[in-house]
Amino acid sequence: YDFTLNAYVLDNPALKVFVPGLDKIDSVSLQSHFSNISGWTATIDAPTIDMGANRLRNLKLQAGTANNAIVVNATLGQLANGKEFRIDNTTLNASIANNNIDFVLNNKDRAGRDKYNISGLLKQPTLDRYEFSIKPDSLLLNYDAWSVSGTNKVVITPNGVNASDLVLSRAGQQLSLNSLSGASNAPLDINFSNFRLATLTGFIQSDSNFVNGTMNGKLTFADIIKEPVFTGDLTVDDFSFKGDTVGTLH
């Protein structure tokens, strides 16, 4: 077989009848080619989609077969909801082969400077078992390079989630995830030590000080898959919201 499939979605009043809330859509295109000799390729372009307060700009997804793998490259200019949620200049590059997904997720600010970067590996060694790990040499959080333990792993099965040695650290800050035993449904401890909230909240806000503060303490989750419950003791010092200091939260 050898065929091409192309499709286009254009902005018109009839489309808005079938998609309630759609305010604007620029020409969305799908271009693809399939061959039993050379494999397949597909490209989706979505320059502009507005639905109420939700805005999407310059989404491009390219996928295809190469070197016995499926290669995916996606770029996103902007995804926003009102003024509170905004992600700019994000790319995802992945290679899928032999039940493994090797990926790099990168986010830049509006000036083109690297803000977040994470490389990881998602594996499916057996049916209903997934293993996720972060590569230790490339983690960037809110512009800063973080260290990751080289033996980190999170295992997901129908019975539960088990994490081992997933420790992120930088300059006195630390976030760690560890299950209390090797059992698939063992309780999971999440520990925070001098952890700045802006380290994570900066991903969805161009202003890294939208929510900030220093978190210390521990959360323990049990039975995450079936009936999740948690206990914990957390303190956030110098908590601030939109630049205004609230104080200490317990």
Side-chain angles (χ1 to χ4, degrees):
Y1 60 89
D2 190 303
F3 65 93
T4 296
L5 175 64
N6 297 329
Y8 301 88
V9 179
L10 305 177
D11 193 2
N12 62 73
L15 178 62
K16 295 175 182 178
V17 173
F18 291 99
V19 186
L22 178 64
D23 298 315
K24 179 181 179 181
I25 181 170
D26 283 349
S27 299
V28 176
S29 65
L30 165 66
Q31 297 179 321
S32 60
H33 179 256
F34 300 86
S35 168
N36 62 329
I37 297 175
S38 60
W40 63 270
T41 62
T43 300
I44 297 175
D45 276 305
T48 300
I49 299 177
D50 289 346
M51 296 186 67
N54 300 304
R55 304 185 307 277
L56 183 147
R57 296 291 184 271
N58 299 322
L59 172 66
K60 185 169 186 176
L61 173 64
Q62 296 176 310
T65 51
N67 300 320
N68 297 317
I70 297 175
V71 178
V72 178
N73 298 298
T75 61
L76 175 65
Q78 183 187 109
L79 178 64
N81 177 271
K83 296 181 180 180
E84 309 300 328
F85 174 91
R86 175 171 172 166
I87 299 174
D88 294 303
N89 303 326
T90 301
T91 61
L92 173 65
N93 299 317
S95 176
I96 306 170
N98 302 317
N99 293 329
N100 293 342
I101 302 177
D102 194 333
F103 70 90
V104 179
L105 178 65
N106 179 270
N107 171 260
K108 302 180 188 296
D109 62 20
R110 279 177 278 182
R113 181 184 172 196
D114 286 336
K115 190 175 183 182
Y116 288 86
N117 192 84
I118 178 172
S119 298
L121 184 64
L122 178 63
K123 302 190 292 186
Q124 186 187 19
T126 60
L127 185 65
D128 293 333
R129 178 183 174 94
Y130 300 89
E131 298 180 359
F132 170 76
S133 60
I134 298 175
K135 295 182 181 180
D137 57 350
S138 61
L139 184 62
L140 190 73
L141 301 177
N142 204 19
Y143 301 106
D144 295 323
W146 281 62
S147 297
V148 187
S149 54
T151 56
N152 74 89
K153 183 168 66 174
V154 177
V155 178
I156 303 170
T157 68
N159 294 322
V161 177
N162 188 281
S164 59
D165 204 26
L166 181 51
V167 182
L168 317 181
S169 59
R170 179 190 181 275
Q173 296 186 69
Q174 189 176 92
L175 167 63
S176 66
L177 284 78
N178 278 290
S179 295
L180 300 185
S181 76
S184 59
N185 62 344
L188 173 66
D189 275 354
I190 303 178
N191 286 275
F192 302 88
S193 178
N194 298 318
F195 186 79
R196 304 288 295 177
L197 295 178
T199 300
L200 298 181
T201 60
F203 184 74
I204 60 172
Q205 266 292 326
S206 56
D207 179 7
S208 295
N209 291 318
F210 181 73
V211 175
N212 207 348
T214 303
M215 181 181 291
N216 287 280
K218 180 176 74 171
L219 293 173
T220 300
F221 289 84
D223 207 2
I224 294 177
I225 297 295
K226 297 179 180 178
E227 297 182 4
V229 295
F230 72 92
T231 58
D233 183 10
L234 294 176
T235 300
V236 181
D237 293 314
D238 300 321
F239 178 77
S240 63
F241 179 70
K242 294 184 177 181
D244 294 328
T245 300
V246 177
T248 300
L249 301 181
H250 296 279

